Amino acid sequence: MFRKLHRWVGLALCVPFALQGLTGLVLLLLPKLAFNRPQLHDNGPLLPADTQIADAIAHAPAGMSIVDYAPPRWPGDTAAIGFGPPHARHPLETLMVDPTTGQVVHVTSRVSFRFAHDLHTDLLLIPYGQTATELMGILLTLMCITGIALWCPTPALMLSARWKRAIVPPTRIAGYRGLRDLHQTVGFWSALLVGFMGASGAIMSLPHAHNDGPPQGADHARHGPRHGGPNGGADHEGLGHDGMPRQDGPPTPPASEATAETGSTPFVADALAQLHASHPNAIVQDVTLNMPGTVRLRTILPERGANHPVMIDSTPRGLRIPPAQPQTLRDTIRADAHMLHEANIAGPGWFVPIWTTLIALSGIILIGLSITGTWMTIRRKTSTARLVDIGAGVQTLETENANIG
């Protein structure tokens, strides 16, 4: 039963599984390879954040709305201001600005990244993609479990020297047997990692497939329910399913009207000043600017941990900082699964690159297992059909010989 389940689920979902591995690899590597901010010489004091944003708006693409602002992370770093079409939650183009002069030094298109992201999270099946992704994550985990069950050597094999074939990659990959041994060995060594990626992906999709987000407390009462995706649901600490801040309020006007209509830009410098006055050690990762009358700061508060950013809203009435509340087990599992799945973690210098490499390998392995598994199934069915034809021919020949005799 395990063999049939493993074989037919893998064959039915070989293309979606391979796409998940490919797009996940793109989402992991593209920001590190193509979206790095240019580094400049430290030329003096920084301009106010409002000035940096105003300079970027002056060079914004026509018809684009301002989406977010990422302040420089260290001396010599550039600021990043994102723009997207009206109603967009995420930027499609990012302007890198010299924070000391306000000059735009680089422009990066994020269209390919957004396409890969939508394909990875929704399979372009909006609004049903989250449910499909959840089911795929569950089935991928099931594939890893059944694969381990099929891999387990029999007692007779364990007593012989042939058990090494189950854990040692073949030195010669030729034909069906060599590819099968490679598939089994790689599947064994990567089952835990690939299974974790499938399970964590399903966990990340759960709040969108079922409207059972965590309690939202006073913020929910003040603004009403927030929906992180087309099917509703809320994410941990104000994050959407992709780790970005959720957006509230009416659509954003074009970038050329952002200051006059939304009133968000003039608040940025004040918001940052208020935050650092109350929390001097706070680290602002990015600022959401397409929420009229509100600036949302995605902030690391050291007392809450580097891996648990807090969404702080700044309005004309002041800062609104979510109170530190004990997390339920469900919230903790969901937040940690999200963080590890995207390799978006803060940790020891040696751990982060190792974990990032493992996540990248899981995408490559998933592509390879999908291709080899599909090839083996097709090859096996073709060989079986050929053997059936040969057997039928032999039987026919024997019948004719018997009749002649």
Side-chain angles (χ1 to χ4, degrees):
M1 182 183 70
F2 280 170
R3 189 175 302 278
K4 289 184 178 179
L5 182 65
H6 188 86
R7 180 181 300 150
W8 290 111
V9 170
L11 183 63
L13 297 178
C14 62
V15 174
F17 281 160
L19 283 176
Q20 288 288 300
L22 177 61
T23 55
L25 190 64
V26 170
L27 292 176
L28 180 67
L29 298 181
L30 192 59
K32 302 180 185 302
L33 299 177
F35 297 155
N36 285 329
R37 302 191 212 175
Q39 300 301 297
L40 309 170
H41 297 291
D42 187 12
N43 294 324
L46 303 181
L47 295 174
D50 301 337
T51 304
Q52 300 175 32
I53 295 171
D55 290 337
I57 290 176
H59 295 83
M64 289 284 189
S65 304
I66 187 168
V67 176
D68 56 22
Y69 161 73
R73 297 159 293 183
W74 48 71
D77 193 22
T78 51
I81 297 94
F83 294 87
H87 305 194
R89 294 180 61 239
H90 309 284
L92 294 183
E93 193 161 299
T94 301
L95 276 62
M96 312 295 182
V97 176
D98 185 343
T100 62
T101 64
Q103 180 182 1
V104 176
V105 297
H106 186 66
V107 178
T108 300
S109 173
R110 301 179 70 92
V111 174
S112 57
F113 181 85
R114 294 312 315 169
F115 176 79
H117 178 272
D118 293 341
L119 184 59
H120 187 79
T121 58
D122 300 312
L123 297 176
L124 302 181
L125 298 176
I126 298 173
Y128 308 106
Q130 292 294 326
T131 302
T133 305
E134 176 193 349
L135 293 175
M136 284 179 54
I138 295 173
L139 290 174
L140 180 58
T141 307
L142 182 63
M143 290 283 290
C144 293
I145 295 174
T146 55
I148 288 295
L150 295 173
W151 167 89
C152 289
T154 61
L157 183 61
M158 290 297 294
L159 293 176
S160 67
R162 292 183 300 166
W163 67 270
K164 293 182 180 180
R165 287 172 46 189
I167 62 174
V168 179
T171 56
R172 182 173 177 268
I173 304 174
Y176 177 86
R177 183 178 296 275
L179 197 62
R180 184 194 63 185
D181 292 342
L182 178 65
H183 184 92
Q184 291 178 345
T185 304
V186 173
F188 164 72
W189 287 110
S190 63
L192 187 61
L193 179 62
V194 176
F196 167 78
M197 295 301 290
S200 59
I203 291 172
M204 291 167 61
S205 300
L206 275 172
H208 301 269
H210 311 288
N211 192 9
D212 62 348
Q216 297 161 324
D219 193 63
H220 178 277
R222 183 177 303 179
H223 294 283
R226 290 174 175 171
H227 302 282
N231 294 328
D235 271 340
H236 171 70
E237 294 278 7
L239 294 178
H241 72 281
D242 51 2
M244 298 300 293
R246 289 181 304 238
Q247 311 299 322
D248 300 320
T252 310
S256 59
E257 301 174 6
T259 301
E261 297 295 333
T262 68
S264 60
T265 301
F267 290 134
V268 176
D270 292 341
L272 295 174
Q274 292 177 28
L275 175 62
H276 289 298
S278 59
H279 294 78
N281 296 324
I283 301 174
V284 178
Q285 294 183 317
D286 55 62
V287 182
T288 302
L289 296 173
N290 58 352
M291 300 169 58
T294 302
V295 172
R296 175 163 289 174
L297 311 171
R298 183 179 184 179
T299 308
I300 297 296
L301 298 179
E303 61 271 19
R304 302 196 189 185
N307 288 316
H308 298 89
V310 179
M311 296 300 153
I312 300 176
D313 287 348
S314 176
T315 68
R317 298 180 180 180
L319 293 179
R320 187 169 66 246
I321 302 177
Q325 298 177 349
Q327 288 185 335
T328 64
L329 179 61
R330 182 186 66 173
D331 293 340
T332 301
I333 292 175
R334 185 166 54 195
D336 291 344
H338 195 157
M339 172 185 64
L340 292 172
H341 187 94
E342 296 183 346
N344 186 19
I345 56 178
W350 59 269
F351 176 75
V352 175
I354 291 177
W355 181 253
T356 303
T357 302
L358 288 175
I359 298 301
L361 284 176
S362 70
I364 298 174
I365 290 171
L366 183 56
I367 297 172
L369 292 178
S370 300
I371 294 174
T372 56
T374 302
W375 186 86
M376 287 191 301
T377 300
I378 296 175
R379 176 71 180 272
R380 185 176 183 275
K381 291 299 178 182
T382 304
S383 300
T384 302
R386 186 181 300 113
L387 290 175
V388 170
D389 292 340
I390 294 175
V394 171
Q395 186 177 6
T396 302
L397 183 60
E398 292 177 348
T399 303
E400 292 177 352
N401 292 335
N403 292 334
I404 293 174

